[in-house]
Amino acid sequence: MPRTAETSSYKFNHTMIRIKDPKASLAFYQNIIGMELYSEKKFDDFTLYFLAFNHDASQMTAQEKDKARFTREGVLELTHNHGTETDPNFQGYASGNTEPGKGFGHIAITVDDVEKACERFERLGVSFKKRLTDGKMKNIAFILDPDGYWIEVLPGVMSL
Amino acid sequence: MPRTAETSSYKFNHTMIRIKDPKASLAFYQNIIGMELYSEKKFDDFTLYFLAFNHDASQMTAQEKDKARFTREGVLELTHNHGTETDPNFQGYASGNTEPGKGFGHIAITVDDVEKACERFERLGVSFKKRLTDGKMKNIAFILDPDGYWIEVLPGVMSL
């Protein structure tokens, strides 16, 4: 049952993180993570990129994709403030996992075969925060995106 | 089409943020936002709370819910490090939107009727970062959760 009738239509639509360099981040989230770019909105000072997994493998038109990003869950919004990618004084963004700036933790991707997924990430040169063999939890890994945000990689069916 | 066969099973399963006080955050995300608590995992030093919108209004057993949190998208994981809720020296968590600690931006909830949703949030005493009437974008609001994380509230069908 929905908690209340008033919230029955609500969806957890997206999560937004800032990125330094869209070239690096789009290559990472599309080619390595496997998301599709649903929409790109360029403004004067910044550009927004909306990505999601296209599970039903549907062939959507650009217009359909642009709408789909508001009607589903699991969308990732990347915000690029123009200029950070070439600014030698840009300090980078905080991952949220160390002081100062602790708060946000990570996003998480479920996969069918976590060992195979991690082998592929290794082969593609992805940085790991925690390999499957590190620590206590042997069925969870953490990789890092180009800005250093943590991405948990875990099997789609598991129990803690 | 999925980007690659290797990533066709991948899902953007969850987003994790740290919370100071589970009592305040659970009341907020359940009663005000309308999510359901799918699972609660208590460890020695911390507890993890997994919430999501139960759209199909299905009556799931506790075991089914515990599994469902790994098989879907749109899950919110709240991490409570025990003791922060009563520690007078605890400084609170960074929202990710100011220095130091800028990086993470917000989570976003789509709703059927954004005006009605905001009226209800006002009535329930929710803090706003941006009301519909503030700024340029009149169909988007930002509310604050108990830790000060930004939550975008936007209509489920819109175009930027």
Side-chain angles (χ1 to χ4, degrees):
Chain A
M1 271 209 318
R3 297 285 302 181
T4 70
E6 290 150 306
T7 62
S8 63
S9 75
Y10 290 18
K11 286 183 187 173
F12 178 6
N13 172 241
H14 72 251
T15 296
M16 188 280 265
I17 54 176
R18 294 175 180 85
I19 56 162
K20 175 188 176 180
D21 183 352
K23 218 169 143 182
S25 293
L26 289 175
F28 179 83
Y29 282 104
Q30 290 181 107
N31 304 336
I32 296 178
I33 299 297
M35 286 179 159
E36 272 191 38
L37 183 62
Y38 272 59
S39 181
E40 180 179 337
K41 296 286 164 187
K42 196 170 181 173
F43 297 86
D44 287 347
D45 300 331
F46 62 94
T47 302
L48 309 177
Y49 301 92
F50 295 87
L51 297 110
F53 290 108
N54 183 2
H55 296 111
D56 50 8
S58 53
Q59 303 270 2
M60 287 186 284
T61 64
Q63 206 182 358
E64 285 167 342
K65 275 192 180 175
D66 198 51
K67 283 229 160 168
R69 78 193 152 106
F70 295 117
T71 56
R72 57 170 288 171
E73 301 199 311
V75 175
L76 180 67
E77 178 184 5
L78 305 178
T79 295
H80 172 231
N81 291 306
H82 299 160
T84 51
E85 72 281 19
T86 52
D87 179 359
N89 296 316
F90 180 69
Q91 301 289 318
Y93 289 118
S95 77
N97 292 300
T98 49
E99 299 293 357
K102 203 170 178 174
F104 170 64
H106 60 259
I107 60 171
I109 309 293
T110 48
V111 304
D112 54 348
D113 185 328
V114 75
E115 300 222 0
K116 225 160 98 179
C118 287
E119 277 167 25
R120 178 170 163 274
F121 293 144
E122 292 273 10
R123 207 164 57 235
L124 295 171
V126 173
S127 298
F128 280 75
K129 176 72 193 171
K130 177 205 173 300
R131 289 189 164 75
L132 291 173
T133 47
D134 298 332
K136 278 186 201 166
M137 303 200 72
K138 303 300 185 196
N139 51 358
I140 288 178
F142 279 87
I143 58 174
L144 299 176
D145 93 343
D147 287 281
Y149 294 113
W150 296 13
I151 302 176
E152 184 177 354
V153 181
L154 71 165
V157 176
M158 67 166 289
S159 55
L160 276 183
Chain B
M1 272 209 318
R3 298 285 302 182
T4 70
E6 289 149 308
T7 62
S8 63
S9 75
Y10 290 18
K11 288 184 185 172
F12 178 6
N13 172 241
H14 72 252
T15 296
M16 187 281 265
I17 53 176
R18 294 175 180 84
I19 57 162
K20 176 187 174 180
D21 183 352
K23 218 170 143 181
S25 293
L26 289 175
F28 179 84
Y29 282 104
Q30 290 181 107
N31 303 337
I32 296 178
I33 299 297
M35 286 178 160
E36 272 190 39
L37 183 63
Y38 272 58
S39 182
E40 180 178 337
K41 297 287 163 185
K42 197 169 180 173
F43 297 87
D44 287 348
D45 300 332
F46 63 94
T47 301
L48 309 177
Y49 300 92
F50 295 87
L51 296 110
F53 289 108
N54 183 2
H55 297 111
D56 51 8
S58 54
Q59 302 270 5
M60 287 185 284
T61 64
Q63 205 182 0
E64 285 166 341
K65 277 192 179 174
D66 199 50
K67 284 228 159 170
R69 79 192 150 107
F70 295 117
T71 57
R72 57 169 288 171
E73 300 200 313
V75 174
L76 181 67
E77 177 183 5
L78 305 176
T79 296
H80 172 232
N81 292 305
H82 299 158
T84 51
E85 72 282 17
T86 52
D87 178 359
N89 296 316
F90 180 68
Q91 300 289 318
Y93 289 118
S95 76
N97 291 300
T98 50
E99 299 291 357
K102 203 169 177 175
F104 171 65
H106 58 258
I107 60 170
I109 309 293
T110 48
V111 304
D112 54 348
D113 186 327
V114 74
E115 300 222 359
K116 225 160 99 180
C118 286
E119 277 166 26
R120 178 170 164 273
F121 293 144
E122 292 273 10
R123 207 164 59 235
L124 295 170
V126 173
S127 298
F128 280 76
K129 175 72 191 173
K130 177 205 173 301
R131 287 188 165 77
L132 291 174
T133 48
D134 299 331
K136 279 187 201 166
M137 304 199 72
K138 302 300 184 195
N139 52 358
I140 288 178
F142 279 88
I143 57 175
L144 299 175
D145 93 341
D147 287 279
Y149 293 113
W150 296 14
I151 302 176
E152 184 177 354
V153 181
L154 72 164
V157 176
M158 68 166 287
S159 54
L160 276 183

